[in-house]
């Protein structure tokens, strides 16, 4: 076989996987928001034609739903399985893990709250959460309502934090976020807003893990109060 013949052979085909598509979608989401995570944008990022992506996902709505499922699939549901661990501790571990994973991809938070979470992984998360709440002594109806309340608190808190960060720099520490907020709140005129001015240092910590935990504990306290 001649050198010319060998050089005319096609190179190896690029292998496209759902994981590669999801990685590209998350990168685009982090960089440019929901609009950037289009099928064409994903295809360009992974170096294939859009039709290759359509093989896996028929439209952008399917991509968005897959992103939600992909992120929820990274959550360790085994935290719910050990009933030797107190139910409150199990829920707190879940809430902290969700916050950690979603604040790493702020653009994904709105996807979580932008439509029904009815994929298999979302339903599995809700199922385990309701089972854990039943362990607290709640009946089936109360556990269902409590599950929704906790989801609203967790995703709502994360969404507010992500919205405040906006297009600002990524990767800044919690201490830096608090310091920046404190600088702004310290300028509140005490003569006009005395309570807010007095609470400036506390208001600055609203984006902290401490505040997130505090609110979670209050919610859990209320759920089991007789």
């Amino acid at each position: 076989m001649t050198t010319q013949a060998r050089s005319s052979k096609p190179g190896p085909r690029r292998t496209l996987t759902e994981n590669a598509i999801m990685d590209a979608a998350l990168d685009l989401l982090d960089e440019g928001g929901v609009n950037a995570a289009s099928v064409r944008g994903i295809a360009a990022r992974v170096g294939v034609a859009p039709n290759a992506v359509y093989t896996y996902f028929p439209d952008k709505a399917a991509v968005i739903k897959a992103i939600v499922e992909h992120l929820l699939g990274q959550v360790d549901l085994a935290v719910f399985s050990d009933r030797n661990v107190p139910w409150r501790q199990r829920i707190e571990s879940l809430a902290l893990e969700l916050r950690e994973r979603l604040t790493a991809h702020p653009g994904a938070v709105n996807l979580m709250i932008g439509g029904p979470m009815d994929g298999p992984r979302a339903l599995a998360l809700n199922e385990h959460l309701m089972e854990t709440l039943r362990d607290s002594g709640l009946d089936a109806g109360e556990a269902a309502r409590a599950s929704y309340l906790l989801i609203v608190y967790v995703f709502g808190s994360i969404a507010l934090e992500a919205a405040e960060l906006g297009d600002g720099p990524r990767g800044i520490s919690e201490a830096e976020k608090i310091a920046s907020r404190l600088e702004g709140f310290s300028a509140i005129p005490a003569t006009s807003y005395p309570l807010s001015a007095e609470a400036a240092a506390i208001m600055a910590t609203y984006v902290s893990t401490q505040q997130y935990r505090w609110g979670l504990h209050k919610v859990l306290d209320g759920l089991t109060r007789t």
Side-chain angles (χ1 to χ4, degrees):
M1 184 180 290
T2 66
T3 302
Q4 182 177 2
R6 284 196 301 270
S7 63
S8 65
K9 292 175 64 178
R13 293 184 62 186
R14 183 182 180 90
T15 301
L16 184 65
T17 65
E18 286 193 32
N19 283 338
I21 294 173
M22 287 297 96
D23 288 343
L26 281 172
D27 286 344
L28 291 167
L29 191 67
D30 292 342
E31 293 167 9
V34 176
N35 291 334
S38 65
V39 171
R40 289 188 176 278
I42 293 168
R45 177 60 60 97
V46 297
V48 299
N51 284 346
V53 179
Y54 283 122
T55 302
Y56 292 88
F57 304 103
D59 52 34
K60 185 175 179 178
V63 172
I64 289 174
K65 189 165 187 175
I67 292 173
V68 172
E69 285 284 286
H70 178 74
L71 287 172
L72 291 178
Q74 297 174 0
V75 176
D76 183 13
L77 294 183
V79 70
F80 290 117
S81 63
D82 188 357
R83 286 186 161 173
N84 292 317
V85 176
W87 69 272
R88 286 181 63 123
Q89 185 176 328
R90 285 181 269 159
I91 289 178
E92 183 169 341
S93 295
L94 168 73
L96 289 170
E97 184 176 355
L98 281 170
R99 183 172 183 264
E100 179 182 357
R101 293 196 178 279
L102 292 182
T103 51
H105 301 287
V109 183
N110 287 334
L111 303 186
M112 298 284 185
I113 60 179
M117 292 176 55
D118 55 2
R121 287 169 176 166
L123 291 174
L125 173 64
N126 192 56
E127 184 77 9
H128 281 80
L129 183 54
M130 286 194 291
E131 287 176 353
T132 304
L133 287 163
R134 291 294 300 274
D135 288 345
S136 75
L138 298 180
D139 63 30
E142 291 171 332
R145 289 185 174 90
S147 173
Y148 178 70
L149 175 61
L150 284 165
I151 290 297
V152 168
Y153 173 75
V154 168
F155 288 157
S157 297
I158 299 169
L160 285 172
E161 185 175 342
E164 181 167 326
L165 181 60
D167 296 326
R170 305 297 184 199
I172 63 175
S173 69
E174 185 172 283
E176 289 172 317
K177 293 179 189 176
I178 293 171
S180 176
R181 286 170 58 86
L182 182 57
E183 183 178 355
F185 287 132
S186 295
I188 295 175
T191 53
S192 300
Y193 312 102
L195 296 180
S196 296
E198 183 181 0
I202 294 176
M203 291 161 59
T205 66
Y206 283 175
V207 295
S208 68
T209 304
Q210 179 186 17
Q211 169 68 28
Y212 181 72
R213 269 193 163 120
W214 184 91
L216 178 64
H217 292 168
K218 292 300 182 182
V219 171
L220 295 176
D221 289 344
L223 288 176
T224 54
R225 183 174 297 158
T226 57

